[in-house]
Amino acid sequence: MPGSKIYFITDAHLGAGEDSRQREIELCALLDRIKNDAAMIVFLGDMFDFWFSYKYVVPKGFVRLMGKMAELSDSGITIHFFIGNHDMWLFNYLKDEMNIVMHDDPDILEFDGKRFLVGHGDGLGHQDKRYDCIRRIFRCRLNQRMFALLPQWMTFGIANSWSSHSRKGHIKKNPKIFEYQGDEREGIVIYCRQRLLNEQFDYCVFGHRHTPIVRTIESPSGHSAVYVNVGDWLMHRNYAVYADGQINLYDNA
C-alpha cells in the first residue's frame, strides 16, 4: 500500500558527466529505500540532460531509472513528472508506458489538506528575454517535428553539444549563478509571489536553480507560502520530503 509522504527529486541531468551512471545507481537506490513510505513521488524536471521521444525508438541508456519508475508506478505510488528545459521533449512516453502524470508547466498538487505549487522553474519571472525566445522555439510543435526528421546521431550530437556549452557558458559568465540571488532577482520567487496575489497555496516546490533552500516568501497582498528549491541530484544529491505537515530538505550523503 502507498505510504504517507511526498518525495521531490530534481535535476539529475543523467547523460551528462562521467559520473552519470553512478548518479543513476544512487538515485535508484534512494527510490528503492522510499518505496514503502511514499504516497507520491514528484520529479521536478531535468532528470535527463537530453531526451527526445521518437515514435518507434527509445534513446539509449537510463534503463535502471526507467525500470525503477515503472516498478514504483505499478506498485500504486502516484508519480508526477514536470518537464524541464533539458527533457522537455519527453512528450507522452512516460505517461503511455508507466502511467506517470506529465506536466508541461507549473501546477497545483493537493495532498494532506495542503496545496503545493510545483514546477521545474525555467523561464519563470521572465528575467531572461533571450531564453524566453529560445524556450518558445523549442516548444513549437512544428520545430519538434522537423527536429525528429534528423538522424538520431545528429540530434543527440547537437543537443549534447548545446547542453555542455550552455552550462559552461553560464558558469563562466557568473561563477555565483547557483547562489540564491535574493527575492527580487529570483525568477521563480517572483513568479510565486505574483501568483500569491490572486490565489493561496501552502508550498512552492521547484528545481532548476540547483540551489537548495527553504524560506518563507510573502506577496504584497499579505499571502505567504514556504518556498522550497530542492537543489539537484547532479551536484548535491538533494531531495525534499513532505510528511506530517512539514517539508524538509535532505542530501544523500
Side-chain angles (χ1 to χ4, degrees), residues 137-252:
I137 292 172
F138 283 172
R139 288 200 169 200
C140 172
R141 290 296 186 186
L142 177 60
N143 292 337
Q144 292 167 0
R145 293 190 184 100
M146 293 176 64
F147 191 75
L149 296 176
L150 297 174
Q152 281 83 50
W153 64 265
M154 184 179 293
T155 58
F156 276 80
I158 293 171
N160 291 331
S161 176
W162 175 286
S163 176
S164 176
H165 175 76
S166 175
R167 183 161 37 241
K168 292 177 181 177
H170 282 12
I171 295 174
K172 183 178 180 179
K173 182 179 179 181
N174 181 7
K176 296 183 178 181
I177 190 172
F178 296 132
E179 295 181 8
Y180 191 75
Q181 304 295 308
D183 289 357
E184 303 304 322
R185 297 182 61 190
E186 289 282 343
I188 301 173
V189 173
I190 292 170
Y191 169 82
C192 293
R193 292 173 70 190
Q194 288 173 340
R195 288 198 57 165
L196 276 169
L197 289 171
N198 301 309
E199 57 185 309
Q200 290 183 291
F201 38 85
D202 303 286
Y203 299 95
C204 322
V205 188
F206 288 83
H208 182 61
R209 287 288 288 114
H210 298 252
T211 308
I213 191 170
V214 179
R215 61 182 287 114
T216 299
I217 61 172
E218 186 173 310
S219 74
S221 65
H223 294 158
S224 64
V226 176
Y227 168 67
V228 182
N229 195 287
V230 178
D232 64 28
W233 195 262
L234 175 65
M235 298 180 292
H236 301 98
R237 304 296 198 272
N238 297 127
Y239 61 98
V241 183
Y242 171 83
D244 300 323
Q246 291 187 333
I247 191 164
N248 293 290
L249 278 177
Y250 298 90
D251 63 59
N252 202 47

Side-chain angles (χ1 to χ4, degrees), residues 29-122:
L30 171 68
L31 294 173
D32 206 44
R33 292 198 302 271
I34 69 177
K35 63 184 179 183
N36 292 324
D37 63 6
M40 182 186 300
I41 298 174
V42 183
F43 294 103
L44 296 171
D46 283 2
M47 298 306 295
F48 309 100
D49 203 51
F50 172 67
W51 185 283
F52 195 94
S53 292
Y54 295 94
K55 189 173 183 179
Y56 299 111
V57 178
V58 178
K60 179 182 178 181
F62 322 124
V63 293
R64 294 168 183 80
L65 178 58
M66 290 292 178
K68 184 57 63 177
M69 292 167 72
E71 173 193 333
L72 296 174
S73 179
D74 290 346
S75 73
I77 297 174
T78 301
I79 301 179
H80 293 265
F81 196 112
F82 289 79
I83 64 168
N85 49 303
H86 284 257
D87 49 22
M88 67 175 69
W89 292 338
L90 269 164
F91 306 135
N92 288 326
Y93 178 70
L94 299 183
K95 174 179 176 291
D96 294 341
E97 294 295 324
M98 307 174 198
N99 199 34
I100 290 175
V101 183
M102 301 297 295
H103 303 263
D104 291 331
D105 297 295
D107 206 351
I108 295 288
L109 303 180
E110 297 189 6
F111 183 83
D112 192 32
K114 304 294 184 181
R115 286 167 56 85
F116 298 77
L117 175 61
V118 183
H120 178 62
D122 64 302

